[in-house]
Amino acid sequence: LAPVVVLVDIDEANLARVADDVRRSTPARVVTVVADVTSEAGAVHVATQAAEAGGGIGVLANVVGGSRPGKT
C-alpha cells in the first residue's frame, strides 16, 4: 500500500500547485483538502478527511503560517 499524503490549504490554486509537485516527487497517493484550519470546524474537517483517506493519521505536521485580516 502506498502512503497517503494529505495536503491542506485555504487557497485552492496554491493547493493544486503543491499537490502537483508532491505527486511528481513521490509514489504516495495525494489527497487535497481546501479548508480554513484557523476555525475548529475547519480543523475537524481536515482531521476527518485525513483519517478517512489513510485509515488513520500516522504523522501530523501543522504548518499554518501568516495571518489574515479579521482573524485573531
Side-chain angles (χ1 to χ4, degrees):
L1 251 185
V4 178
V5 174
V6 179
L7 300 173
V8 182
D9 200 323
I10 196 169
D11 179 335
E12 190 169 6
N14 187 59
L15 180 59
R17 283 189 298 276
V18 172
D20 287 343
D21 287 346
V22 173
R23 285 183 182 108
R24 281 192 296 272
S25 65
T26 181
R29 182 167 63 95
V30 177
V31 175
T32 59
V33 182
V34 177
D36 179 356
V37 296
T38 64
S39 72
E40 182 178 353
V44 168
H45 174 68
V46 168
T48 300
Q49 294 298 309
E52 289 176 0
I57 299 174
V59 176
L60 175 65
N62 182 7
V63 187
V64 178
S67 61
R68 294 193 353 230
K71 287 289 205 176
T72 57

